[in-house]
Amino acid sequence: MMTVDLRSDTVTKPTPGMLEAMWSAKVGDDVFGEDESVNELEAKAAAMFGMEAAIFCPSGTMTNQIAIKCFTQPLDELIADQTAHVYRYEGGGIAFNSAVSTRLLNGYRGILTAEMIEPEINAVGNIHYPNTSLVVLENTVNKGGGSCYTLDQIEPIAALCKRRNLKLHLDGARIFNALAHTGDKAVDYGKYFDGISVCLSKGLGTPVGSVLLASKNTITYARRIRKVLGGGMRQAGFLAAAGSYALDHHVERLKIDHIHAQILADELAKCTWVTNVMPTETNIVLFDTEGPADAVVAKLLSKGIKAGCTDTKRIRFVTHLDIHPEQIEYTVQVLKNL
Ligand SMILES: *Cc1c(COP(=O)(O)O)cnc(C)c1O
């Protein structure tokens, strides 16, 4: 029986080309700043997004949490959508690491506008209020079903942040999926954000790692915070080489994942036991089931298809590097006969 793992785009294994790049990486002690492969990855990623500098970290949780620490002071407040990964899925780290409170907004599929944000910014100088200092956007929005911001939507938010003296951070775990969908250019992102977190271990298919991009000064402080969190890695170049390889070879192909997701979404829309399929823009398909979702997930698993419930009646499929056309065809056949 075929196995089709649609649980997450984090389940990918390195390709032969990526393993070769890792195997032959030039490495050194990165805590001393001497790992060539880490330095190369950081420079490459920063340049791609028009940012001054970058820092390689073990996870996207760490890059986001470091960014929040860099852009806030204790007793500040950040603004994010209620679906935000930084709030929901980082273990309460905002309060723990930064002693910052979170103001959650109700965007459409996780997408915020300047009009939604502006009334939520606290007045400066009133001791009753936490000091609003940071806005965090997510692109694509994981819990929004891979929904995307265009740069045209981001620009007014960035302008508001500038006007009200707030920092703007992007949780770009899947930013390359957003770029593949919108056609915006990575290099233009640097103009709008103070910090950008990019995951290398999602759609890009590396085993480990994320990069935080920001100004030189911010990254200098970020290196201190990474050390405090225990994220200073030594010969990390073996992992960074996988990241550089992915930036060179795995960005263009993301559109294949999006085509695969659309095929699944189209088939699901025809299934009588599916009550709703969320709009599918990138590599995530969210859909609602008539009966309990876990029963459907168990049925799929008996056919070799792995998926996750995100709610009692909601299932998530995520396409990625290790999902090939024949697995999509097989999944479509199973869905037809379920
Ligand atoms: C996966 C993900 C992250 C980072 O997760 P790690 O598992 O810590 O690398 C951050 N934000 C979003 C939206 C994600 O999907």
Side-chain angles (χ1 to χ4, degrees):
M1 189 170 56
M2 199 181 279
T3 301
V4 188
D5 196 341
L6 295 169
R7 287 172 302 166
S8 172
D9 45 7
T10 54
V11 300
T12 56
K13 310 260 168 69
T15 60
M18 183 179 282
L19 281 173
E20 180 54 39
M22 295 169 75
W23 189 244
S24 56
K26 292 204 178 70
V27 298
D29 191 325
D30 181 52
V31 176
F32 300 159
E34 290 174 4
D35 189 300
E36 273 181 58
S37 300
V38 171
N39 294 342
E40 185 195 319
L41 169 66
E42 290 176 348
K44 186 198 286 270
M48 276 179 104
F49 284 86
M51 298 291 257
E52 279 180 7
I55 182 170
F56 180 55
C57 292
S59 70
T61 297
M62 192 182 283
T63 46
N64 280 332
Q65 291 297 320
I66 289 175
I68 291 165
K69 185 72 190 160
C70 287
F71 297 137
T72 60
Q73 295 296 323
L75 307 181
D76 282 357
E77 185 161 86
L78 69 77
I79 293 176
D81 183 77
Q82 50 98 8
T83 61
H85 192 282
V86 292
Y87 177 74
R88 285 200 181 219
Y89 305 115
E90 298 185 8
I94 295 171
F96 186 80
N97 296 315
S98 298
V100 161
S101 57
T102 305
R103 183 94 140 229
L104 297 171
L105 309 188
N106 248 316
Y108 173 67
R109 297 176 67 213
I111 302 290
L112 301 176
T113 64
E115 289 69 33
M116 292 175 195
I117 295 168
E118 187 152 23
E120 307 294 332
I121 301 170
N122 288 333
V124 178
N126 183 326
I127 58 164
H128 296 89
Y129 304 145
N131 177 42
T132 313
S133 58
L134 174 65
V135 173
V136 178
L137 305 181
E138 193 172 304
N139 202 14
T140 69
V141 184
N142 183 347
K143 225 178 148 50
S147 46
C148 300
Y149 285 91
T150 61
L151 271 178
D152 288 344
Q153 290 170 294
I154 288 167
E155 204 210 327
I157 298 174
L160 169 67
C161 289
K162 207 153 249 137
R163 189 152 44 80
R164 301 296 295 271
N165 205 20
L166 312 180
K167 299 289 189 195
L168 183 59
H169 173 66
L170 177 67
D171 177 354
R174 295 188 181 81
I175 183 60
F176 285 109
N177 295 92
L179 294 170
H181 179 73
T182 61
D184 287 331
K185 300 272 170 290
V187 73
D188 293 328
Y189 266 71
K191 290 186 219 130
Y192 299 111
F193 289 96
D194 297 288
I196 301 176
S197 163
V198 181
C199 282
L200 303 166
S201 60
K202 298 268 166 83
L204 296 187
T206 76
V208 175
S210 289
V211 281
L212 173 63
L213 321 174
S215 69
K216 272 191 187 136
N217 280 343
T218 299
I219 294 301
T220 300
Y221 186 57
R223 288 189 190 286
R224 185 177 182 80
I225 303 304
R226 185 184 64 177
K227 194 80 183 85
V228 168
L229 296 175
M233 299 182 286
R234 302 296 177 172
Q235 286 72 34
F238 291 116
L239 299 172
S244 288
Y245 180 90
L247 291 177
D248 291 340
H249 296 96
H250 290 171
V251 172
E252 274 299 307
R253 61 156 304 288
L254 288 171
K255 53 182 183 283
I256 299 170
D257 299 342
H258 297 182
I259 292 167
H260 286 166
Q262 195 59 58
I263 292 170
L264 295 178
D266 290 346
E267 189 57 38
L268 285 163
K270 296 182 211 155
C271 295
T272 52
W273 49 273
V274 173
T275 57
N276 172 47
V277 185
M278 296 271 277
T280 303
E281 294 165 20
T282 54
N283 69 326
I284 300 175
V285 187
L286 292 179
F287 61 98
D288 299 326
T289 53
E290 208 165 45
D294 53 1
V296 176
V297 165
K299 239 180 181 174
L300 287 169
L301 188 60
S302 74
K303 309 279 182 198
I305 298 168
K306 298 181 182 176
C309 304
T310 67
D311 215 325
T312 51
K313 289 195 169 182
R314 178 161 285 190
I315 294 175
R316 186 177 85 151
F317 286 166
V318 187
T319 57
H320 52 76
L321 188 63
D322 286 347
I323 296 293
H324 303 291
E326 58 273 21
Q327 290 166 299
I328 294 296
E329 271 166 44
Y330 172 75
T331 306
V332 165
Q333 287 314 314
V334 169
L335 291 174
K336 271 192 205 305
N337 299 309
L338 206 71

